[in-house]
Amino acid sequence: GLGAVKFMRSVRNWAFKRFGDEGVVNLIAMATPEDMMADAEHIRLADQFIEVPGGRNVNNYANVQLIVSLALRARVDAVWPGWGHASEKPELPELLLNTPMDIRFIGPDQYAMAALGDKIGSSILAQSAGVPTLSWSGDGVEIQYDECENGEIPENIYDQACLHSVSEAVACFERINAPIMLKASWGGGGKGMRIVKNLDEVPNAFKQVQAEVPGSPIFAMKL
C-alpha cells in the first residue's frame, strides 16, 4: 500500500497545481480483504475501490489478466501498477495497449521493460550507452538499441556475454579477479547466485547455479 499512497498523494498534488482541483483525476484502487481489514490508507485515499481476491499476489496485484479485466470494467484511462508485483511484467503494458480503449500504462513500454528486465541484456545496453558498469563476463559487448527488434538483443550478441562452461567461467574469474558473483540471468530471490572467492571454487559454484535455474543463461560480475 505504500507505493499506492505515495502515488495518490503525488497525483492529487499535481492535479491541484495544474488544474486548481485535486479531485479532477478519479483514482480507483484495488483492495484485498486483508487490505480492508487493516483499513489500509490507500483505500481511504482512493475515490473508489474494487475488491479483489486475497492471499498470494498471484491472486491480485501480480495477476496481469485480473488487472486488465478490472481496468476494462472500470473504464479507466490509465493504469499505474505500483512497485513490484505486476509492475515489471512486459505483458501488462502490452495487453493494456491492445484493449479497445487503448488504456495507457504509466511506465515504460513493454519493449523497454523486457530489455531492462533481463540482467545480461540490461548490462549490455547500459555499457553500450556509456553507463559505467562493473567488470563482468560481457565486458566490451555492445549494441545500438535501435538494432534490438522489439527490445530483444540478437542472440549472437547476447551470447557473447554468457558463460557456457566451467572452463569459460574459470577464464572469466582469472580475468576479473576475485571475488566474483556467478549468476543465472533468470534467477531471483537468491536462487542461481554464488559468490566465488577462490579459483578452485569456480567449478562447483558454476554447476550449482546451473542446477538451481536449469536452462538459464549464466554470467559473472565483479562482486
PDB file of all heavy atoms in Angstrom, residues 4 8 12 26-37 39-53 61 70 73-74 76:
ATOM      1  N   ALA A   4       1.079   2.822  -3.453  1.00  0.00           N
ATOM      2  CA  ALA A   4      -0.194   3.407  -3.870  1.00  0.00           C
ATOM      3  C   ALA A   4      -0.438   4.738  -3.172  1.00  0.00           C
ATOM      4  O   ALA A   4      -0.902   5.708  -3.786  1.00  0.00           O
ATOM      5  CB  ALA A   4      -1.333   2.430  -3.578  1.00  0.00           C
ATOM      6  N   MET A   8      -0.877   8.279  -5.075  1.00  0.00           N
ATOM      7  CA  MET A   8      -2.117   9.051  -4.970  1.00  0.00           C
ATOM      8  C   MET A   8      -1.850  10.465  -4.469  1.00  0.00           C
ATOM      9  O   MET A   8      -2.425  11.433  -4.985  1.00  0.00           O
ATOM     10  CB  MET A   8      -3.097   8.332  -4.048  1.00  0.00           C
ATOM     11  CG  MET A   8      -3.678   7.064  -4.647  1.00  0.00           C
ATOM     12  SD  MET A   8      -4.761   6.223  -3.465  1.00  0.00           S
ATOM     13  CE  MET A   8      -5.268   4.825  -4.467  1.00  0.00           C
ATOM     14  N   ARG A  12      -2.699  13.844  -6.583  1.00  0.00           N
ATOM     15  CA  ARG A  12      -3.540  14.902  -6.004  1.00  0.00           C
ATOM     16  C   ARG A  12      -2.802  16.243  -6.015  1.00  0.00           C
ATOM     17  O   ARG A  12      -3.363  17.283  -6.369  1.00  0.00           O
ATOM     18  CB  ARG A  12      -3.908  14.540  -4.563  1.00  0.00           C
ATOM     19  CG  ARG A  12      -4.694  13.265  -4.378  1.00  0.00           C
ATOM     20  CD  ARG A  12      -6.129  13.409  -4.768  1.00  0.00           C
ATOM     21  NE  ARG A  12      -6.903  12.263  -4.314  1.00  0.00           N
ATOM     22  CZ  ARG A  12      -7.859  11.690  -5.002  1.00  0.00           C
ATOM     23  NH1 ARG A  12      -8.183  12.155  -6.196  1.00  0.00           N
ATOM     24  NH2 ARG A  12      -8.531  10.660  -4.525  1.00  0.00           N
ATOM     25  N   ASN A  26      -9.843  10.943 -11.170  1.00  0.00           N
ATOM     26  CA  ASN A  26     -10.549   9.932 -10.378  1.00  0.00           C
ATOM     27  C   ASN A  26      -9.636   8.724 -10.160  1.00  0.00           C
ATOM     28  O   ASN A  26      -9.165   8.123 -11.125  1.00  0.00           O
ATOM     29  CB  ASN A  26     -11.823   9.504 -11.112  1.00  0.00           C
ATOM     30  CG  ASN A  26     -12.736   8.671 -10.236  1.00  0.00           C
ATOM     31  OD1 ASN A  26     -13.056   9.076  -9.120  1.00  0.00           O
ATOM     32  ND2 ASN A  26     -13.168   7.534 -10.736  1.00  0.00           N
ATOM     33  N   LEU A  27      -9.379   8.384  -8.915  1.00  0.00           N
ATOM     34  CA  LEU A  27      -8.456   7.301  -8.585  1.00  0.00           C
ATOM     35  C   LEU A  27      -9.217   6.081  -8.077  1.00  0.00           C
ATOM     36  O   LEU A  27      -9.981   6.167  -7.116  1.00  0.00           O
ATOM     37  CB  LEU A  27      -7.459   7.769  -7.519  1.00  0.00           C
ATOM     38  CG  LEU A  27      -6.539   8.928  -7.935  1.00  0.00           C
ATOM     39  CD1 LEU A  27      -5.733   9.413  -6.749  1.00  0.00           C
ATOM     40  CD2 LEU A  27      -5.610   8.485  -9.059  1.00  0.00           C
ATOM     41  N   ILE A  28      -8.991   4.960  -8.752  1.00  0.00           N
ATOM     42  CA  ILE A  28      -9.640   3.705  -8.390  1.00  0.00           C
ATOM     43  C   ILE A  28      -8.568   2.726  -7.909  1.00  0.00           C
ATOM     44  O   ILE A  28      -7.590   2.477  -8.620  1.00  0.00           O
ATOM     45  CB  ILE A  28     -10.392   3.106  -9.591  1.00  0.00           C
ATOM     46  CG1 ILE A  28     -11.407   4.115 -10.137  1.00  0.00           C
ATOM     47  CG2 ILE A  28     -11.087   1.805  -9.200  1.00  0.00           C
ATOM     48  CD1 ILE A  28     -12.052   3.677 -11.450  1.00  0.00           C
ATOM     49  N   ALA A  29      -8.759   2.188  -6.732  1.00  0.00           N
ATOM     50  CA  ALA A  29      -7.750   1.291  -6.144  1.00  0.00           C
ATOM     51  C   ALA A  29      -8.230  -0.151  -6.132  1.00  0.00           C
ATOM     52  O   ALA A  29      -9.435  -0.421  -6.091  1.00  0.00           O
ATOM     53  CB  ALA A  29      -7.430   1.726  -4.720  1.00  0.00           C
ATOM     54  N   MET A  30      -7.298  -1.077  -6.192  1.00  0.00           N
ATOM     55  CA  MET A  30      -7.580  -2.481  -5.915  1.00  0.00           C
ATOM     56  C   MET A  30      -7.410  -2.697  -4.419  1.00  0.00           C
ATOM     57  O   MET A  30      -6.527  -2.103  -3.798  1.00  0.00           O
ATOM     58  CB  MET A  30      -6.615  -3.380  -6.683  1.00  0.00           C
ATOM     59  CG  MET A  30      -6.786  -3.350  -8.185  1.00  0.00           C
ATOM     60  SD  MET A  30      -5.433  -4.202  -9.073  1.00  0.00           S
ATOM     61  CE  MET A  30      -5.561  -5.877  -8.446  1.00  0.00           C
ATOM     62  N   ALA A  31      -8.251  -3.554  -3.841  1.00  0.00           N
ATOM     63  CA  ALA A  31      -8.157  -3.808  -2.411  1.00  0.00           C
ATOM     64  C   ALA A  31      -8.498  -5.256  -2.106  1.00  0.00           C
ATOM     65  O   ALA A  31      -9.541  -5.760  -2.528  1.00  0.00           O
ATOM     66  CB  ALA A  31      -9.101  -2.877  -1.647  1.00  0.00           C
ATOM     67  N   THR A  32      -7.626  -5.929  -1.398  1.00  0.00           N
ATOM     68  CA  THR A  32      -7.877  -7.303  -0.974  1.00  0.00           C
ATOM     69  C   THR A  32      -8.656  -7.284   0.346  1.00  0.00           C
ATOM     70  O   THR A  32      -8.703  -6.251   1.039  1.00  0.00           O
ATOM     71  CB  THR A  32      -6.553  -8.053  -0.753  1.00  0.00           C
ATOM     72  OG1 THR A  32      -5.861  -7.434   0.360  1.00  0.00           O
ATOM     73  CG2 THR A  32      -5.682  -8.013  -1.994  1.00  0.00           C
ATOM     74  N   PRO A  33      -9.258  -8.399   0.739  1.00  0.00           N
ATOM     75  CA  PRO A  33      -9.915  -8.458   2.046  1.00  0.00           C
ATOM     76  C   PRO A  33      -8.953  -8.108   3.187  1.00  0.00           C
ATOM     77  O   PRO A  33      -9.353  -7.470   4.170  1.00  0.00           O
ATOM     78  CB  PRO A  33     -10.364  -9.920   2.141  1.00  0.00           C
ATOM     79  CG  PRO A  33     -10.564 -10.344   0.719  1.00  0.00           C
ATOM     80  CD  PRO A  33      -9.486  -9.642  -0.042  1.00  0.00           C
ATOM     81  N   GLU A  34      -7.688  -8.516   3.033  1.00  0.00           N
ATOM     82  CA  GLU A  34      -6.693  -8.180   4.058  1.00  0.00           C
ATOM     83  C   GLU A  34      -6.484  -6.669   4.142  1.00  0.00           C
ATOM     84  O   GLU A  34      -6.331  -6.117   5.236  1.00  0.00           O
ATOM     85  CB  GLU A  34      -5.357  -8.878   3.748  1.00  0.00           C
ATOM     86  CG  GLU A  34      -5.416 -10.399   3.840  1.00  0.00           C
ATOM     87  CD  GLU A  34      -5.761 -11.073   2.519  1.00  0.00           C
ATOM     88  OE1 GLU A  34      -6.348 -10.414   1.631  1.00  0.00           O
ATOM     89  OE2 GLU A  34      -5.451 -12.271   2.372  1.00  0.00           O
ATOM     90  N   ASP A  35      -6.461  -5.995   2.980  1.00  0.00           N
ATOM     91  CA  ASP A  35      -6.325  -4.534   2.966  1.00  0.00           C
ATOM     92  C   ASP A  35      -7.485  -3.876   3.701  1.00  0.00           C
ATOM     93  O   ASP A  35      -7.308  -2.924   4.476  1.00  0.00           O
ATOM     94  CB  ASP A  35      -6.302  -4.001   1.523  1.00  0.00           C
ATOM     95  CG  ASP A  35      -5.071  -4.418   0.751  1.00  0.00           C
ATOM     96  OD1 ASP A  35      -4.006  -4.581   1.377  1.00  0.00           O
ATOM     97  OD2 ASP A  35      -5.172  -4.568  -0.485  1.00  0.00           O
ATOM     98  N   MET A  36      -8.684  -4.390   3.441  1.00  0.00           N
ATOM     99  CA  MET A  36      -9.873  -3.787   4.045  1.00  0.00           C
ATOM    100  C   MET A  36      -9.923  -4.027   5.550  1.00  0.00           C
ATOM    101  O   MET A  36     -10.292  -3.135   6.322  1.00  0.00           O
ATOM    102  CB  MET A  36     -11.125  -4.323   3.359  1.00  0.00           C
ATOM    103  CG  MET A  36     -11.263  -3.810   1.922  1.00  0.00           C
ATOM    104  SD  MET A  36     -12.779  -4.338   1.105  1.00  0.00           S
ATOM    105  CE  MET A  36     -12.334  -6.014   0.659  1.00  0.00           C
ATOM    106  N   MET A  37      -9.512  -5.209   5.969  1.00  0.00           N
ATOM    107  CA  MET A  37      -9.481  -5.493   7.410  1.00  0.00           C
ATOM    108  C   MET A  37      -8.480  -4.600   8.133  1.00  0.00           C
ATOM    109  O   MET A  37      -8.685  -4.215   9.281  1.00  0.00           O
ATOM    110  CB  MET A  37      -9.128  -6.963   7.641  1.00  0.00           C
ATOM    111  CG  MET A  37     -10.260  -7.926   7.340  1.00  0.00           C
ATOM    112  SD  MET A  37      -9.801  -9.643   7.695  1.00  0.00           S
ATOM    113  CE  MET A  37      -9.545  -9.572   9.474  1.00  0.00           C
ATOM    114  N   ASP A  39      -7.813  -1.606   7.233  1.00  0.00           N
ATOM    115  CA  ASP A  39      -8.173  -0.208   6.963  1.00  0.00           C
ATOM    116  C   ASP A  39      -7.016   0.509   6.273  1.00  0.00           C
ATOM    117  O   ASP A  39      -6.577   1.585   6.694  1.00  0.00           O
ATOM    118  CB  ASP A  39      -8.556   0.513   8.264  1.00  0.00           C
ATOM    119  CG  ASP A  39      -9.206   1.868   8.004  1.00  0.00           C
ATOM    120  OD1 ASP A  39      -9.796   2.042   6.922  1.00  0.00           O
ATOM    121  OD2 ASP A  39      -9.108   2.756   8.885  1.00  0.00           O
ATOM    122  N   ALA A  40      -6.508  -0.109   5.218  1.00  0.00           N
ATOM    123  CA  ALA A  40      -5.333   0.403   4.509  1.00  0.00           C
ATOM    124  C   ALA A  40      -5.557   1.829   4.012  1.00  0.00           C
ATOM    125  O   ALA A  40      -6.633   2.166   3.508  1.00  0.00           O
ATOM    126  CB  ALA A  40      -4.994  -0.511   3.342  1.00  0.00           C
ATOM    127  N   GLU A  41      -4.530   2.637   4.155  1.00  0.00           N
ATOM    128  CA  GLU A  41      -4.661   4.061   3.824  1.00  0.00           C
ATOM    129  C   GLU A  41      -4.952   4.290   2.347  1.00  0.00           C
ATOM    130  O   GLU A  41      -5.664   5.225   1.989  1.00  0.00           O
ATOM    131  CB  GLU A  41      -3.383   4.802   4.236  1.00  0.00           C
ATOM    132  CG  GLU A  41      -3.513   6.318   4.102  1.00  0.00           C
ATOM    133  CD  GLU A  41      -2.310   7.069   4.644  1.00  0.00           C
ATOM    134  OE1 GLU A  41      -1.370   6.413   5.141  1.00  0.00           O
ATOM    135  OE2 GLU A  41      -2.321   8.310   4.566  1.00  0.00           O
ATOM    136  N   HIS A  42      -4.419   3.426   1.459  1.00  0.00           N
ATOM    137  CA  HIS A  42      -4.643   3.665   0.034  1.00  0.00           C
ATOM    138  C   HIS A  42      -6.123   3.510  -0.330  1.00  0.00           C
ATOM    139  O   HIS A  42      -6.594   4.127  -1.288  1.00  0.00           O
ATOM    140  CB  HIS A  42      -3.756   2.751  -0.826  1.00  0.00           C
ATOM    141  CG  HIS A  42      -4.230   1.349  -0.968  1.00  0.00           C
ATOM    142  ND1 HIS A  42      -3.964   0.357  -0.048  1.00  0.00           N
ATOM    143  CD2 HIS A  42      -4.958   0.752  -1.944  1.00  0.00           C
ATOM    144  CE1 HIS A  42      -4.498  -0.782  -0.445  1.00  0.00           C
ATOM    145  NE2 HIS A  42      -5.112  -0.580  -1.606  1.00  0.00           N
ATOM    146  N   ILE A  43      -6.861   2.714   0.445  1.00  0.00           N
ATOM    147  CA  ILE A  43      -8.297   2.577   0.186  1.00  0.00           C
ATOM    148  C   ILE A  43      -9.011   3.875   0.546  1.00  0.00           C
ATOM    149  O   ILE A  43      -9.889   4.347  -0.183  1.00  0.00           O
ATOM    150  CB  ILE A  43      -8.883   1.404   0.991  1.00  0.00           C
ATOM    151  CG1 ILE A  43      -8.217   0.087   0.592  1.00  0.00           C
ATOM    152  CG2 ILE A  43     -10.395   1.313   0.794  1.00  0.00           C
ATOM    153  CD1 ILE A  43      -8.672  -1.115   1.404  1.00  0.00           C
ATOM    154  N   ARG A  44      -8.624   4.459   1.674  1.00  0.00           N
ATOM    155  CA  ARG A  44      -9.267   5.703   2.119  1.00  0.00           C
ATOM    156  C   ARG A  44      -8.928   6.879   1.213  1.00  0.00           C
ATOM    157  O   ARG A  44      -9.727   7.799   1.056  1.00  0.00           O
ATOM    158  CB  ARG A  44      -8.860   6.006   3.569  1.00  0.00           C
ATOM    159  CG  ARG A  44      -9.465   5.015   4.560  1.00  0.00           C
ATOM    160  CD  ARG A  44      -9.205   5.372   6.006  1.00  0.00           C
ATOM    161  NE  ARG A  44      -7.868   4.994   6.442  1.00  0.00           N
ATOM    162  CZ  ARG A  44      -6.899   5.842   6.721  1.00  0.00           C
ATOM    163  NH1 ARG A  44      -7.105   7.139   6.598  1.00  0.00           N
ATOM    164  NH2 ARG A  44      -5.716   5.413   7.121  1.00  0.00           N
ATOM    165  N   LEU A  45      -7.737   6.848   0.604  1.00  0.00           N
ATOM    166  CA  LEU A  45      -7.335   7.945  -0.285  1.00  0.00           C
ATOM    167  C   LEU A  45      -8.004   7.863  -1.657  1.00  0.00           C
ATOM    168  O   LEU A  45      -8.152   8.870  -2.342  1.00  0.00           O
ATOM    169  CB  LEU A  45      -5.820   7.940  -0.476  1.00  0.00           C
ATOM    170  CG  LEU A  45      -4.968   8.466   0.684  1.00  0.00           C
ATOM    171  CD1 LEU A  45      -3.494   8.303   0.360  1.00  0.00           C
ATOM    172  CD2 LEU A  45      -5.288   9.929   0.969  1.00  0.00           C
ATOM    173  N   ALA A  46      -8.407   6.670  -2.060  1.00  0.00           N
ATOM    174  CA  ALA A  46      -8.984   6.471  -3.398  1.00  0.00           C
ATOM    175  C   ALA A  46     -10.412   7.027  -3.466  1.00  0.00           C
ATOM    176  O   ALA A  46     -11.116   7.114  -2.455  1.00  0.00           O
ATOM    177  CB  ALA A  46      -8.993   4.986  -3.747  1.00  0.00           C
ATOM    178  N   ASP A  47     -10.836   7.391  -4.676  1.00  0.00           N
ATOM    179  CA  ASP A  47     -12.220   7.815  -4.886  1.00  0.00           C
ATOM    180  C   ASP A  47     -13.162   6.616  -4.813  1.00  0.00           C
ATOM    181  O   ASP A  47     -14.310   6.741  -4.395  1.00  0.00           O
ATOM    182  CB  ASP A  47     -12.357   8.502  -6.251  1.00  0.00           C
ATOM    183  CG  ASP A  47     -11.563   9.800  -6.302  1.00  0.00           C
ATOM    184  OD1 ASP A  47     -11.903  10.729  -5.562  1.00  0.00           O
ATOM    185  OD2 ASP A  47     -10.589   9.863  -7.079  1.00  0.00           O
ATOM    186  N   GLN A  48     -12.678   5.483  -5.240  1.00  0.00           N
ATOM    187  CA  GLN A  48     -13.421   4.242  -5.120  1.00  0.00           C
ATOM    188  C   GLN A  48     -12.434   3.086  -5.154  1.00  0.00           C
ATOM    189  O   GLN A  48     -11.276   3.254  -5.540  1.00  0.00           O
ATOM    190  CB  GLN A  48     -14.456   4.109  -6.242  1.00  0.00           C
ATOM    191  CG  GLN A  48     -13.872   4.012  -7.638  1.00  0.00           C
ATOM    192  CD  GLN A  48     -14.941   4.013  -8.712  1.00  0.00           C
ATOM    193  OE1 GLN A  48     -15.278   5.048  -9.269  1.00  0.00           O
ATOM    194  NE2 GLN A  48     -15.469   2.844  -9.016  1.00  0.00           N
ATOM    195  N   PHE A  49     -12.897   1.922  -4.728  1.00  0.00           N
ATOM    196  CA  PHE A  49     -12.025   0.757  -4.785  1.00  0.00           C
ATOM    197  C   PHE A  49     -12.798  -0.447  -5.291  1.00  0.00           C
ATOM    198  O   PHE A  49     -14.020  -0.513  -5.211  1.00  0.00           O
ATOM    199  CB  PHE A  49     -11.384   0.477  -3.419  1.00  0.00           C
ATOM    200  CG  PHE A  49     -12.323  -0.054  -2.378  1.00  0.00           C
ATOM    201  CD1 PHE A  49     -12.550  -1.424  -2.250  1.00  0.00           C
ATOM    202  CD2 PHE A  49     -12.982   0.807  -1.499  1.00  0.00           C
ATOM    203  CE1 PHE A  49     -13.410  -1.920  -1.290  1.00  0.00           C
ATOM    204  CE2 PHE A  49     -13.850   0.321  -0.538  1.00  0.00           C
ATOM    205  CZ  PHE A  49     -14.065  -1.044  -0.430  1.00  0.00           C
ATOM    206  N   ILE A  50     -12.026  -1.402  -5.842  1.00  0.00           N
ATOM    207  CA  ILE A  50     -12.591  -2.649  -6.335  1.00  0.00           C
ATOM    208  C   ILE A  50     -11.982  -3.783  -5.517  1.00  0.00           C
ATOM    209  O   ILE A  50     -10.761  -3.900  -5.429  1.00  0.00           O
ATOM    210  CB  ILE A  50     -12.284  -2.862  -7.826  1.00  0.00           C
ATOM    211  CG1 ILE A  50     -12.870  -1.725  -8.663  1.00  0.00           C
ATOM    212  CG2 ILE A  50     -12.815  -4.204  -8.303  1.00  0.00           C
ATOM    213  CD1 ILE A  50     -12.505  -1.797 -10.135  1.00  0.00           C
ATOM    214  N   GLU A  51     -12.834  -4.601  -4.925  1.00  0.00           N
ATOM    215  CA  GLU A  51     -12.331  -5.720  -4.124  1.00  0.00           C
ATOM    216  C   GLU A  51     -11.797  -6.814  -5.038  1.00  0.00           C
ATOM    217  O   GLU A  51     -12.411  -7.156  -6.046  1.00  0.00           O
ATOM    218  CB  GLU A  51     -13.426  -6.284  -3.232  1.00  0.00           C
ATOM    219  CG  GLU A  51     -12.925  -7.379  -2.305  1.00  0.00           C
ATOM    220  CD  GLU A  51     -13.982  -7.884  -1.347  1.00  0.00           C
ATOM    221  OE1 GLU A  51     -15.070  -7.284  -1.281  1.00  0.00           O
ATOM    222  OE2 GLU A  51     -13.705  -8.900  -0.670  1.00  0.00           O
ATOM    223  N   VAL A  52     -10.635  -7.338  -4.684  1.00  0.00           N
ATOM    224  CA  VAL A  52     -10.008  -8.424  -5.443  1.00  0.00           C
ATOM    225  C   VAL A  52      -9.715  -9.571  -4.481  1.00  0.00           C
ATOM    226  O   VAL A  52      -9.719  -9.388  -3.260  1.00  0.00           O
ATOM    227  CB  VAL A  52      -8.709  -7.953  -6.131  1.00  0.00           C
ATOM    228  CG1 VAL A  52      -9.008  -6.906  -7.185  1.00  0.00           C
ATOM    229  CG2 VAL A  52      -7.710  -7.399  -5.113  1.00  0.00           C
ATOM    230  N   PRO A  53      -9.471 -10.774  -5.000  1.00  0.00           N
ATOM    231  CA  PRO A  53      -9.194 -11.914  -4.111  1.00  0.00           C
ATOM    232  C   PRO A  53      -7.989 -11.663  -3.219  1.00  0.00           C
ATOM    233  O   PRO A  53      -7.052 -10.953  -3.588  1.00  0.00           O
ATOM    234  CB  PRO A  53      -8.922 -13.066  -5.094  1.00  0.00           C
ATOM    235  CG  PRO A  53      -9.638 -12.669  -6.340  1.00  0.00           C
ATOM    236  CD  PRO A  53      -9.525 -11.184  -6.415  1.00  0.00           C
ATOM    237  N   TYR A  61      -2.418  -8.453  -6.973  1.00  0.00           N
ATOM    238  CA  TYR A  61      -1.565  -7.389  -7.502  1.00  0.00           C
ATOM    239  C   TYR A  61      -0.546  -7.846  -8.543  1.00  0.00           C
ATOM    240  O   TYR A  61       0.000  -7.007  -9.271  1.00  0.00           O
ATOM    241  CB  TYR A  61      -0.846  -6.677  -6.354  1.00  0.00           C
ATOM    242  CG  TYR A  61      -1.802  -6.031  -5.380  1.00  0.00           C
ATOM    243  CD1 TYR A  61      -1.900  -6.472  -4.061  1.00  0.00           C
ATOM    244  CD2 TYR A  61      -2.638  -4.995  -5.779  1.00  0.00           C
ATOM    245  CE1 TYR A  61      -2.790  -5.893  -3.169  1.00  0.00           C
ATOM    246  CE2 TYR A  61      -3.527  -4.405  -4.899  1.00  0.00           C
ATOM    247  CZ  TYR A  61      -3.598  -4.859  -3.596  1.00  0.00           C
ATOM    248  OH  TYR A  61      -4.492  -4.288  -2.729  1.00  0.00           O
ATOM    249  N   LEU A  70     -10.203  -5.719 -14.785  1.00  0.00           N
ATOM    250  CA  LEU A  70     -10.759  -4.689 -13.905  1.00  0.00           C
ATOM    251  C   LEU A  70     -10.659  -3.306 -14.540  1.00  0.00           C
ATOM    252  O   LEU A  70     -11.565  -2.482 -14.400  1.00  0.00           O
ATOM    253  CB  LEU A  70     -10.028  -4.692 -12.558  1.00  0.00           C
ATOM    254  CG  LEU A  70     -10.209  -5.928 -11.676  1.00  0.00           C
ATOM    255  CD1 LEU A  70      -9.393  -5.783 -10.396  1.00  0.00           C
ATOM    256  CD2 LEU A  70     -11.667  -6.162 -11.349  1.00  0.00           C
ATOM    257  N   ARG A  73     -13.425  -3.083 -16.985  1.00  0.00           N
ATOM    258  CA  ARG A  73     -14.722  -2.977 -16.310  1.00  0.00           C
ATOM    259  C   ARG A  73     -14.936  -1.577 -15.738  1.00  0.00           C
ATOM    260  O   ARG A  73     -16.044  -1.036 -15.797  1.00  0.00           O
ATOM    261  CB  ARG A  73     -14.804  -4.011 -15.186  1.00  0.00           C
ATOM    262  CG  ARG A  73     -16.197  -4.194 -14.619  1.00  0.00           C
ATOM    263  CD  ARG A  73     -16.214  -5.331 -13.625  1.00  0.00           C
ATOM    264  NE  ARG A  73     -15.853  -4.878 -12.289  1.00  0.00           N
ATOM    265  CZ  ARG A  73     -15.541  -5.683 -11.283  1.00  0.00           C
ATOM    266  NH1 ARG A  73     -15.499  -6.995 -11.473  1.00  0.00           N
ATOM    267  NH2 ARG A  73     -15.249  -5.208 -10.093  1.00  0.00           N
ATOM    268  N   ALA A  74     -13.873  -1.003 -15.201  1.00  0.00           N
ATOM    269  CA  ALA A  74     -13.971   0.325 -14.592  1.00  0.00           C
ATOM    270  C   ALA A  74     -13.838   1.447 -15.622  1.00  0.00           C
ATOM    271  O   ALA A  74     -13.982   2.616 -15.278  1.00  0.00           O
ATOM    272  CB  ALA A  74     -12.905   0.480 -13.516  1.00  0.00           C
ATOM    273  N   VAL A  76     -11.221   2.720 -17.144  1.00  0.00           N
ATOM    274  CA  VAL A  76     -10.180   3.683 -16.780  1.00  0.00           C
ATOM    275  C   VAL A  76      -9.423   4.160 -18.027  1.00  0.00           C
ATOM    276  O   VAL A  76      -9.459   3.520 -19.074  1.00  0.00           O
ATOM    277  CB  VAL A  76      -9.178   3.079 -15.776  1.00  0.00           C
ATOM    278  CG1 VAL A  76      -9.894   2.618 -14.516  1.00  0.00           C
ATOM    279  CG2 VAL A  76      -8.400   1.923 -16.396  1.00  0.00           C
TER     280      VAL A  76
END
